[in-house]
Amino acid sequence: MRLNAPALSLIASALLLAACKPTTPADAPDAVAGPAATTPAQAPAATDPSDNLNAVLWIQRSEEYRANSLSIFRAAAEQLDTAIAETNWDALVPEERELIGDATALPPAVIMDIDETVLDNSPYQARLVQNGLEYNEITWAEWVAEKKAKPVPGVLEFARAAEAKGVTILYLSNRAQHLQEATLANLRAEGLPVKDESVFLGLGMHVEGCEQHGSEKTCRRRVAGRDYRVLMQFGDQLGDFVDILANTPEARGQLLEDYGDWFGERWWMLANPSYGGWEPAQFNNAWDQPAGARREAKRAALNLDQ
């Protein structure tokens, strides 16, 4: 997820992390949006094709990736009955829960990011690696239109188990609203539950009474909380769960410190080494830098001592 480089430099101090979207200038915060935002440099060879090679190869070829994903969804499924039964169970942080009082009267739901959480877009990433390209909106929209993304291992079984218990799956994604039709068609074709079009909460969705900032998901989580009792959230980015005001290593670490107990209970994180807000946090979110400068900043961030 990304926005134009000039915008990034203007708002780097208040970047808001979004949920998933492919690759190099990936799911960085606010100005680096997910499957729907714009991107910086897009010319061939703008980045070393090998930068993302191991990450994409791990997703596509390692049994460890599959085992990791299966473990997350199986563990979450084991928690569903407890989440439904406990009246004080809520996967939204207090400041995003608008309803005051007992939320148990609301129908239950889980919020799921789409890209690299429900659908595997590694073939799109692989094409970028193979051709030495960076993400851009045009090639991304073309990939979405193909409707070829396959479910992440374990998600189909979890989603069907949740549906059988009367739990609605909400797809809160930074895929843009204009990609809704193709996205829902892809989800349905793979057997994932889609109650109706209202379950797609895409980037650009108007939320009455809530000011939205870039690609952050706060307003859309609030929408979910107006109509549902949110039992769990699933994502591959910290911003899929809660707003990140400053995309710095320190702020991200503090967020995990504050909400670490929620993971493995109400929040479920999928592994995504291919892209995410963690990457631009290493170079001050400055996507307008040359690819070489960004790479050097990442090398400088390596920990050589314990």
Side-chain angles (χ1 to χ4, degrees):
M1 326 217 188
R2 321 111 178 141
L3 291 183
N4 290 326
L8 290 172
S9 59
L10 293 175
I11 61 174
S13 62
L15 288 168
L16 304 167
L17 199 60
C20 310
K21 166 92 207 225
T23 130
T24 320
D27 283 28
D30 201 22
V32 183
T38 56
T39 177
Q42 298 168 5
T47 185
D48 186 332
S50 66
D51 280 1
N52 212 19
L53 176 58
N54 267 10
V56 176
L57 195 63
W58 183 76
I59 291 171
Q60 293 192 331
R61 298 300 184 187
S62 78
E63 295 307 316
E64 289 79 358
Y65 165 74
R66 179 177 173 81
N68 176 267
S69 185
L70 288 170
S71 298
I72 293 295
F73 285 114
R74 287 173 182 170
E78 291 294 320
Q79 290 272 26
L80 266 178
D81 287 337
T82 301
I84 293 169
E86 290 193 14
T87 57
N88 63 344
W89 190 290
D90 194 349
L92 295 179
V93 297
E95 53 268 33
E96 292 182 357
R97 166 62 70 185
E98 296 182 353
L99 179 68
I100 305 299
D102 187 6
T104 56
L106 297 175
V110 298
I111 291 175
M112 308 192 86
D113 170 58
I114 293 179
D115 298 303
E116 281 50 76
T117 300
V118 172
L119 293 179
D120 171 15
N121 301 289
S122 62
Y124 172 75
Q125 303 283 348
R127 296 175 191 181
L128 299 180
V129 171
Q130 192 76 356
N131 295 303
L133 299 173
E134 292 189 337
Y135 161 86
N136 70 70
E137 282 191 333
I138 295 174
T139 57
W140 170 249
E142 290 172 346
W143 161 252
V144 172
E146 291 182 34
K147 307 169 193 172
K148 289 182 178 178
K150 298 299 180 184
V152 166
V155 69
L156 189 57
E157 293 80 2
F158 171 85
R160 287 176 173 173
E163 183 184 40
K165 296 176 186 292
V167 178
T168 298
I169 308 297
L170 302 176
Y171 300 99
L172 203 168
S173 171
N174 276 341
R175 290 189 175 204
Q177 282 292 110
H178 73 271
L179 299 175
Q180 179 190 62
E181 183 178 351
T183 298
L184 293 183
N186 194 164
L187 292 169
R188 288 186 175 109
E190 295 302 327
L192 286 149
V194 177
K195 186 179 75 172
D196 53 44
E197 291 187 355
S198 71
V199 300
F200 179 79
L201 308 177
L203 186 65
M205 173 185 178
H206 174 69
V207 179
E208 189 71 32
C210 186
E211 183 180 355
Q212 301 185 75
H213 303 279
S215 57
E216 55 84 18
K217 294 183 169 182
T218 299
C219 290
R220 286 172 284 159
R221 283 191 291 263
R222 287 182 176 176
V223 165
R226 292 172 186 175
D227 298 325
Y228 294 94
R229 179 182 172 221
V230 180
L231 304 179
M232 296 178 179
Q233 295 194 65
F234 293 80
D236 67 314
Q237 311 285 314
L238 286 177
D240 291 335
F241 305 93
V242 65
D243 188 18
I244 296 180
L245 295 177
N247 193 48
T248 65
E250 295 76 19
R252 294 169 64 83
Q254 186 59 53
L255 186 151
L256 190 59
E257 184 74 21
D258 293 341
Y259 293 103
D261 290 346
W262 289 42
F263 287 102
E265 182 185 76
R266 306 179 192 189
W267 294 353
W268 302 88
M269 180 73 78
L270 279 295
N272 179 7
S274 183
Y275 65 87
W278 54 269
E279 181 187 3
Q282 312 310 316
F283 51 79
N284 199 31
N285 306 288
W287 284 111
D288 54 345
Q289 295 182 82
R294 285 181 266 142
R295 189 178 302 113
E296 284 307 307
K298 289 188 287 185
R299 291 177 65 86
L302 291 171
N303 184 3
L304 306 182
D305 299 296
Q306 286 301 105

